[in-house]
Amino acid sequence: MPIETILALGLFAVISSLGPGPSNFLLLASGANFGFRRTLPQLLGVSAGLCTVMLGVGAGLGLLLAAVPALGLAVKLAGAAWLLRLAWRIGTARAMGGAGQAPARPIGFLESAGFQWMNPKAWLAAVTAMAIYTQPDSPVLSVLVVSLAVALGVLPSLILWAGMGVALRDLLSDPRWLRRFNIGMALLLVASLLPLVR
């Protein structure tokens, strides 16, 4: 794969992951509630999960979901249920998770990675990247390169979203602001379900 294509792919990954979406809202909320270090497994889970979605789409799972509408609907419903659960978890959090504080915990690596399989933004990015950047003359290698490049390319954006949450920690040390913030993040997560109902 030419270096120009890899650079364009990296730019695609950064730009497509900068915008708001379910994983970014979760990282923002986790950074604010738990700090960067405790959010790191969630952040890495998003990247790893996106890589597996990319590999799945490259292997033809996107075509399978399009060919079997009932399976596609099941994935959408599971994704909606998972997202509502996460929104509830964030919306009902009432204390920052710090040393000796609330028993709340950030979303873990496996939860975050698994969620990417139900995240409409991840599927859209995977289908787009595979359609544009894979090479027909070396399909297996190009699917691997595209998957890894996107997984690495989204890291700066994910770090930015988690960092924005960390930057809000001082403001959110007031329980009233924290409650409003968490409810707002929960509502944004629920609003991110709109693409699923179209």
Side-chain angles (χ1 to χ4, degrees):
M1 185 176 287
I3 191 70
E4 297 84 16
T5 304
I6 293 174
L7 291 174
L9 177 59
L11 185 60
F12 164 82
V14 170
I15 299 298
S16 66
S17 61
L18 273 175
S23 293
N24 291 342
F25 292 143
L26 289 169
L27 286 168
L28 180 69
S30 185
N33 283 281
F34 301 105
F36 188 80
R37 188 182 59 76
R38 290 186 67 197
T39 299
L40 194 55
Q42 178 184 346
L43 187 150
L44 295 174
V46 171
S47 178
L50 180 58
C51 185
T52 63
V53 171
M54 301 286 290
L55 290 169
V57 168
L61 288 179
L63 296 173
L64 175 65
L65 291 175
V68 183
L71 184 57
L73 178 61
V75 169
K76 283 183 178 185
L77 292 175
W82 188 283
L83 200 57
L84 289 172
R85 177 184 168 270
L86 294 176
W88 177 260
R89 198 163 132 186
I90 289 171
T92 58
R94 294 292 179 253
M96 284 192 198
Q101 287 186 341
R105 64 173 181 80
I107 296 163
F109 178 88
L110 291 177
E111 286 177 294
S112 185
F115 172 66
Q116 299 317 301
W117 281 89
M118 298 167 256
N119 181 350
K121 188 176 175 187
W123 278 90
L124 180 61
V127 169
T128 302
M130 288 299 162
I132 294 172
Y133 297 106
T134 53
Q135 308 290 311
D137 55 331
S138 58
V140 174
L141 181 60
S142 65
V143 164
L144 288 172
V145 169
V146 168
S147 299
L148 290 173
V150 169
L152 294 173
V154 300
L155 287 174
S157 298
L158 301 178
I159 290 168
L160 178 67
W161 279 91
M164 287 188 301
V166 172
L168 292 171
R169 283 182 67 82
D170 284 341
L171 172 68
L172 300 178
S173 61
D174 179 336
R176 290 173 300 156
W177 282 106
L178 180 65
R179 183 174 45 254
R180 291 174 187 149
F181 174 81
N182 285 339
I183 289 170
M185 287 295 98
L187 291 173
L188 286 171
L189 278 173
V190 172
S192 73
L193 284 172
L194 291 177
L196 288 175
V197 296
R198 289 183 184 161

